[in-house]
Amino acid sequence: MHELSICQSMLRIVDATMEKHPGAKLMRIFLEIGKGATIEPVLLKDAFEIVTHDGPYAGTELVIKDIPLVGRCRSCGRSFEYEEIALGCPSCESIDIEIESGLEMNIKELEIDE
Amino acid sequence: MAKVSIEKRILSENDRIAIENRKTFADAGVLVLNIISSPGSGKTTLLEATLDRIARELAVLVIEGDVSTERDMDRVRARGAGGIQINTGGGCHLSAKMIREVLGELDLESADIVFIENVGNLICPSTYDLGEDVRLVLLSATEGDDKPMKYPSIFHEASLAILNKTDLLPHLIYDTEKVMKEIAVLNPNCEILRLSALQGEGMDTWIDWLREKLAAKRGEQTSGARRGT
Ligand SMILES: Nc1nc2c(ncn2[C@@H]2O[C@H](COP(=O)(O)OP(=O)(O)O)[C@@H](O)[C@H]2O)c(=O)[nH]1
Ligand SMILES: [Mg+2]
Ligand SMILES: [Zn+2]
């Protein structure tokens, strides 16, 4: 639902970076999106196409790396997919869990043709 | 082909403005709560019930985020709050920038507490820091007991979860223990209160919690001022 506004925030970062590379064509944008980050990659790609189709980034590819939602048990140190650990550690039953990954929403790098 | 490294949070600009907001709120010595929930969980009802209990002694401002109408703003004004309405024009969440843009219209210096009622939605508002002190997630018994697991990011960032509409529990299938356990797993620092904004059960504990937070915030304030001299 908020993929459009996420897309606009991303494009502001992209614009600021591309300004430093005048004349270059943007080929790919690499993102890292956690499964628990409330961003739907398909919707984000749709939003990106709609926003960029008639501008300098038309045809640029959005490459999204999905990061699984993983919890780590602080008691025994084991990590599990979040679904398995949501009610406590399946191995030692501790509920002292930390989210290890899966909340990311990062822009990693751009690939440009200079 | 060349690679250009960026390594930034997509919402880094929002995060930056949220830090400015937090500083503005801290300078004014005001406690700020960002209330997030699905539509109909009882955000406005909780504000009304809260105002009935504190508006005589504390100056309360409400920032109402809503897709279109001013109805919620009218409801809290009627209970003694000042504040302002932000219509997001269809947008599904408030952002730090939207808050920044209305701060000039609020008398923060005379205020004790600012409540921000975010747009009714449990998903989108969760990743937008507004500069608040307390991120409050409101769940109501009628939404079912599977919410924490479905929306991990909101609970991961929350400092308080309120389970509202406890008066309806006798009529529902709802495993309160399970909900509390799932929240604890997601975020051991998230406090949990249970209440009925409509019937009043549990409201006293919430008001005490609020007063404690306000006192703590003012404590920070004075020690900060002392350090500053
Ligand atoms: N039974 C019951 N109903 C409630 C309670 N709190 C709110 N409601 C009802 O839930 C509906 C939505 O409340 P509202 O405050 O407008 O929700 P909001 O959309 O989150 O602001 C209204 O009909 C309220 O009367 C409660 O504690 N118990
Ligand atoms: Mg409301
Ligand atoms: Zn364990």
Side-chain angles (χ1 to χ4, degrees):
Chain A
M1 282 193 269
H2 59 315
E3 279 75 6
L4 188 59
S5 94
I6 295 288
C7 182
Q8 281 155 346
S9 301
M10 175 188 85
L11 284 172
R12 276 195 287 275
I13 298 174
V14 170
D15 285 340
T17 311
M18 291 305 287
E19 270 172 27
K20 296 176 203 148
H21 301 271
K25 165 121 184 82
L26 179 61
M27 307 304 288
R28 291 199 177 93
I29 303 173
F30 292 88
L31 304 180
E32 229 177 43
I33 305 289
K35 283 280 181 215
T38 73
I39 296 174
E40 192 48 63
V42 177
L43 295 182
L44 185 57
K45 284 187 175 172
D46 287 350
F48 181 73
E49 256 185 65
I50 293 165
V51 174
T52 59
H53 79 279
D54 56 357
Y57 307 145
T60 295
E61 189 189 353
L62 204 54
V63 184
I64 299 178
K65 181 175 177 194
D66 293 322
I67 310 286
L69 187 58
V70 174
R72 194 185 78 91
C73 172
R74 286 201 187 89
S75 300
C76 73
R78 295 182 61 187
S79 296
F80 298 88
E81 287 272 338
Y82 188 71
E83 247 113 284
E84 292 176 63
I85 208 168
L87 283 172
C89 175
S91 170
C92 76
E93 291 178 13
S94 162
I95 62 159
D96 190 8
I97 310 297
E98 67 183 335
I99 304 273
E100 204 170 46
S101 74
L103 299 173
E104 300 78 358
M105 37 194 308
N106 300 325
I107 176 162
K108 300 291 288 178
E109 60 180 9
L110 306 181
E111 188 181 296
I112 60 173
D113 198 355
E114 286 182 301
Chain B
M1 292 299 168
K3 291 273 175 87
V4 182
S5 170
I6 296 185
E7 302 283 347
K8 257 191 191 168
R9 248 173 68 81
I10 294 175
L11 292 180
S12 47
E13 178 66 5
N14 185 81
D15 296 343
R16 188 186 63 73
I17 300 171
I19 290 170
E20 284 177 22
N21 291 352
R22 193 164 277 119
K23 169 126 195 359
T24 305
F25 293 138
D27 289 345
V30 65
L31 178 72
V32 182
L33 298 92
N34 175 9
I35 309 177
I36 300 177
S37 86
S38 309
S41 303
K43 295 180 294 301
T44 314
T45 308
L46 178 67
L47 288 177
E48 289 173 313
T50 304
L51 285 163
D52 284 346
R53 287 162 175 82
I54 63 171
R56 249 170 278 112
E57 4 143 15
L58 297 172
V60 179
L61 295 175
V62 177
I63 300 175
E64 280 289 351
D66 219 325
V67 176
S68 59
T69 69
E70 287 236 358
R71 286 190 187 161
D72 287 355
M73 196 68 227
D74 295 340
R75 282 169 63 185
V76 297
R77 275 207 189 103
R79 308 290 177 121
I84 193 161
Q85 174 84 39
I86 300 177
N87 281 333
T88 59
C92 51
H93 60 87
L94 292 173
S95 67
K97 185 154 174 272
M98 292 179 203
I99 299 295
R100 187 95 207 137
E101 282 165 356
V102 300
L103 287 186
E105 295 171 56
L106 298 172
D107 182 8
L108 291 177
E109 288 300 327
S110 338
D112 297 298
I113 301 180
V114 176
F115 290 105
I116 303 172
E117 178 173 343
N118 217 311
V119 181
N121 178 338
L122 210 47
I123 303 175
C124 313
S126 72
T127 39
Y128 290 83
D129 184 5
L130 304 180
E132 70 272 16
D133 300 295
V134 175
R135 186 165 308 181
L136 195 176
V137 194
L138 191 65
L139 287 177
S140 63
T142 45
E143 290 163 62
D145 54 18
D146 58 352
K147 289 296 168 293
M149 253 211 74
K150 278 194 185 160
Y151 306 108
S153 77
I154 182 73
F155 291 93
H156 192 254
E157 304 296 334
S159 36
L160 176 67
I162 290 185
L163 310 184
N164 187 30
K165 308 196 187 180
T166 52
D167 58 297
L168 296 178
L169 285 172
H171 310 286
L172 303 168
I173 297 171
Y174 190 89
D175 187 343
T176 307
E177 293 306 314
K178 181 182 123 191
V179 172
M180 295 179 61
K181 198 168 176 185
E182 282 191 8
I183 295 174
V185 166
L186 276 168
N187 179 358
N189 302 317
C190 181
E191 295 182 69
I192 304 173
L193 297 176
R194 288 176 281 180
L195 57 81
S196 166
L198 200 62
Q199 304 294 336
E201 180 195 0
M203 279 296 294
D204 291 346
T205 316
W206 150 241
I207 298 294
D208 290 345
W209 189 94
L210 198 56
R211 285 186 201 283
E212 259 174 48
K213 274 278 171 248
L214 183 61
K217 175 95 191 199
R218 288 186 172 151
E220 274 171 34
Q221 207 53 29
T222 39
S223 63
R226 242 180 270 131
R227 269 200 305 276
T229 55

